[in-house]
Each structure stands twice: as C-alpha cells, then as structure tokens.
Amino acid sequence: MIATYEDLPGLLGRMTGAEKHGPAATSTLDALWVLYERVLRVDPERPEDPARDRFLLSKGHGPMAYYAVLAAKGFLPVEWLDGFGGYHSPLGHHPDRLLVPGVEIASGSLGHGLPLAVGTALGLRAQGLTDPAVWTLIGDAEFDEGSNHEALAYAGAVGLDRLHAIVIDNTSATHGWQGGIASRFEAAGWSAVTVAGHDHAALYQAFTTEHPGRPHAVIARVEPKN
C-alpha cells in the first residue's frame, strides 16, 4: 500500500486497545510522515539495502504512528494494524526489529535510541559507507537518562555529520535547560533547529538544513499531551 497523509487517521484507527498511547502517536505522526515521505531514502522492496538510510525509533513506547507510516509506505500489510498488541501479532507495544520489516532496532526503553544511532553512524563510517544518513526520533523525557548526554557529547566531538536526531518536545522532561533543548545540542557541537512539530513545511526545511562537519538535531515542539 502506498497511501497519503490523509489516509493516516484511518490507519491509526485500525489499532485499538487500552495501551494505545494515542498522544505519543499524534505527537510523532507529522515528523515521521515528512521524514518518510520526503527525506528518508528507504525502499520497502529492499529493506536491507546496505545503501539505505537508517531510522531508529527511540520513542518506541508509542509506536502506532510508526506502524501507520510503515504500512502507508508498503513495508507491512495494512491488515497487520488490526491485530496491534495482540498475542500473535508482530506489532507489539514496542517495535521488534526481528518481526517488523523496516524496523532497525527493538526500542521503547528510554535513553537507548541516540546511543544506538551514534554506534550505527560509527559502524557505517568504519565500513566506508559515508552516504547513508542515520536518523533517530527521541522524546524530550529521554534526556532524563544520562546515556543520551554521553552520546550527544561524543557525536559532536567526533563530527558525525551523517547523524540526525529528531526530538519531540512536549515539555514532559523532569529536567531541562535554560534556552531550550537545542542549546544542549549546540553546546556539544551539533547543528540544531527548533520548529513547530506539526508544520510539514517547517519540518522539511529543518530536516534538510545543511550542517557540514556536524551532527544535526531538529527539536519539534508539540502540545504537552503526553
């Protein structure tokens, strides 16, 4: 199935259950759609292509938007959405890279995505694969975990310019920084842009901002619902 943005509410509506984490889905939906529709170089016919871009969903505790976008782009059958969270369904409450085509990591535990993205970017660099981009989407509350601070500090220090972080900022973090989340990345040597998290044009411009020699972070501000 190759769907449009207007099809996404219907795809989301096929996933039901008490643990749906609806706000986590709606907060990430626009960023995920713009990324997969206009930026990310991936092919559902060749999900293991070594030359593909990599996307790592760190905010895996709310994967419904991710599943909807993967279905819309043809990575998985739409019918799978109906069984979301079921005992025999490959679509669990946390995505599983061994069960879901197009998923790069099993995620959901806070603080893992950015360190894994740093390792992925380093691994690609070591293999001489300098063209694929590495993207990770994290929630602002994940910055309560120290692993993220170590990862972003290291990435800036070694100039991982193929690394990109999308931070969904719904002000749910226990701790924060004066000047906003972008200032934390910039202090570590990253390029950083803050945009409205539901504005497709602004997201696309932020995603495609040039950042030679530095990793890049996009802070997507959304209403604090989760």
Side-chain angles (χ1 to χ4, degrees):
M1 176 183 185
I2 304 299
T4 67
Y5 178 76
E6 287 70 27
D7 296 314
L8 294 179
L11 296 176
L12 282 170
R14 298 179 72 137
M15 290 175 277
T16 59
E19 297 183 43
K20 188 176 179 182
H21 289 299
T26 55
S27 68
T28 61
L29 184 63
D30 294 285
L32 286 170
W33 178 256
V34 174
L35 185 67
Y36 271 84
E37 174 71 2
R38 303 180 63 181
V39 179
L40 204 65
R41 297 171 301 173
V42 291
D43 183 351
E45 300 298 324
R46 302 183 64 196
E48 302 296 327
D49 184 356
R52 72 190 184 281
D53 290 342
R54 272 70 167 178
F55 172 72
L56 284 61
L57 179 69
S58 187
K59 194 176 179 179
H61 63 282
M64 287 68 59
Y66 188 33
Y67 293 154
V69 170
L70 288 175
K73 291 300 177 183
F75 283 91
L76 55 90
V78 171
E79 293 74 21
W80 283 14
L81 302 177
D82 299 331
F84 166 68
Y87 184 78
H88 295 290
S89 174
L91 305 184
H93 292 296
H94 291 189
D96 188 327
R97 71 180 185 87
L98 298 179
L99 299 178
V100 186
V103 170
E104 299 283 354
I105 60 171
S107 61
S109 298
L110 300 184
H112 288 178
L114 185 57
L116 286 169
V118 169
T120 300
L122 286 170
L124 290 170
R125 177 187 282 186
Q127 296 175 70
L129 296 172
T130 57
D131 189 47
V134 178
W135 292 80
T136 184
L137 186 148
I138 64 183
D140 63 323
E142 295 192 63
F143 283 101
D144 291 346
E145 299 289 340
S147 55
N148 274 309
H149 299 276
E150 295 179 10
L152 72 88
Y154 181 81
V158 299
L160 287 179
D161 57 358
R162 301 306 291 155
L163 176 64
H164 309 75
I166 305 168
V167 182
I168 303 299
D169 180 12
N170 55 12
T171 64
S172 62
T174 303
H175 310 292
W177 305 273
Q178 287 188 328
I181 293 174
S183 66
R184 178 67 181 87
F185 282 92
E186 291 168 338
W190 289 57
S191 164
V193 179
T194 301
V195 298
H198 298 304
D199 185 329
H200 289 199
L203 286 165
Y204 176 72
Q205 183 175 0
F207 290 168
T208 56
T209 296
E210 295 185 2
H211 50 96
R214 297 187 291 169
H216 182 56
V218 176
I219 317 304
R221 296 293 307 275
V222 299
E223 291 296 321
K225 297 178 180 179
N226 183 46

